[in-house]
């Protein structure tokens, strides 16, 4: 595993652990119904039982483990990339992105539940920025490492 891959795994692990710890720390203070859907303006559209936050954490964490396992099982390069190491790096790029999306969703849900007047309109911009950065990173890695 090269340095870039280790940095991606470390960043992803820190954000994922932070998400879990944030929920563990705040769970008992949450009301029975938490915010699960907001409009682009930050207005609350839907509430669900607070136990759904564990489901969100579990799904996002499982997706990360699945992507990690896929990256480790790759044995030969596909998609006209230079080598298998590049392919694994491109696959692992998704981990910090998914971790960031998870922590933003968790923070948004918990903070909006605890303070309904909180302005969460910036969340959509954070998600769009993260998505744009992720796509630029992946496409630049692919472009720089094509064989033909």
């Amino acid at each position: 595993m090269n340095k870039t891959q280790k940095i991606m795994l470390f960043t992803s692990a820190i954000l994922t652990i932070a998400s879990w710890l944030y929920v563990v720390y705040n769970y008992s203070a949450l009301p029975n119904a938490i915010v699960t859907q907001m409009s682009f303006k930050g207005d609350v559209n839907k509430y669900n039982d607070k136990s759904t936050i564990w489901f969100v954490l579990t799904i996002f964490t499982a997706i990360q483990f699945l992507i990690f396992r896929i990256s480790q099982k790759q044995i030969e390069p596909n998609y006209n990339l230079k080598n298998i190491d590049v392919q694994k790096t491109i696959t692992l790029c998704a981990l910090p992105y998914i971790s960031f999306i998870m922590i933003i969703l968790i923070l948004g849900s918990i903070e909006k539940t605890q303070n309904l007047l909180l302005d969460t309109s910036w969340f959509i911009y954070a998600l769009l920025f993260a998505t744009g950065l992720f796509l630029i990173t992946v496409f630049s890695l692919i472009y720089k490492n094509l064989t033909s």
Side-chain angles (χ1 to χ4, degrees):
M1 190 172 296
N2 66 31
K3 184 178 177 182
T4 304
Q5 293 171 356
K6 288 179 183 177
I7 290 170
M8 284 189 255
L9 285 174
F10 181 74
T11 303
S12 177
I14 293 298
L15 290 173
T16 301
I17 291 168
S19 296
W20 279 90
L21 291 176
Y22 188 75
V23 170
V24 166
Y25 180 75
N26 287 294
Y27 190 77
S28 62
L30 290 174
N32 287 334
I34 62 169
V35 173
T36 55
Q37 184 179 358
M38 293 180 272
S39 69
F40 287 115
K41 293 179 183 178
D43 300 328
V44 177
N45 293 339
K46 186 176 178 183
Y47 291 92
N48 270 344
D49 186 62
K50 72 179 183 178
S51 63
T52 57
I53 206 154
W54 296 115
F55 179 71
V56 171
L57 284 170
T58 304
I59 292 296
F60 273 86
T61 305
I63 290 169
Q64 290 178 68
F65 278 121
L66 180 64
I67 290 171
F68 176 74
R69 292 288 296 159
I70 289 169
S71 76
Q72 298 306 304
K73 290 195 179 282
Q74 295 171 345
I75 54 174
E76 60 182 60
N78 297 321
Y79 315 116
N80 294 326
L81 295 173
K82 289 181 182 174
N83 58 44
I84 191 65
D85 204 41
V86 170
Q87 185 169 319
K88 286 181 180 184
T89 302
I90 291 170
T91 304
L92 290 175
C93 275
L95 294 180
Y97 171 71
I98 292 169
S99 299
F100 180 77
I101 298 298
M102 177 174 62
I103 202 164
I104 288 294
L105 290 175
I106 296 299
L107 282 171
S109 181
I110 289 176
E111 293 301 318
K112 189 67 173 182
T113 299
Q114 292 175 337
N115 180 6
L116 290 175
L117 299 177
L118 180 70
D119 179 23
T120 54
S121 60
W122 64 271
F123 283 140
I124 190 67
Y125 298 110
L127 293 174
L128 289 173
F129 176 76
T131 302
L133 187 61
F134 168 70
L135 291 173
I136 289 168
T137 303
V138 168
F139 287 132
S140 66
L141 276 170
I142 290 170
Y143 182 74
K144 284 191 266 184
N145 292 291
L146 288 174
T147 56
S148 52

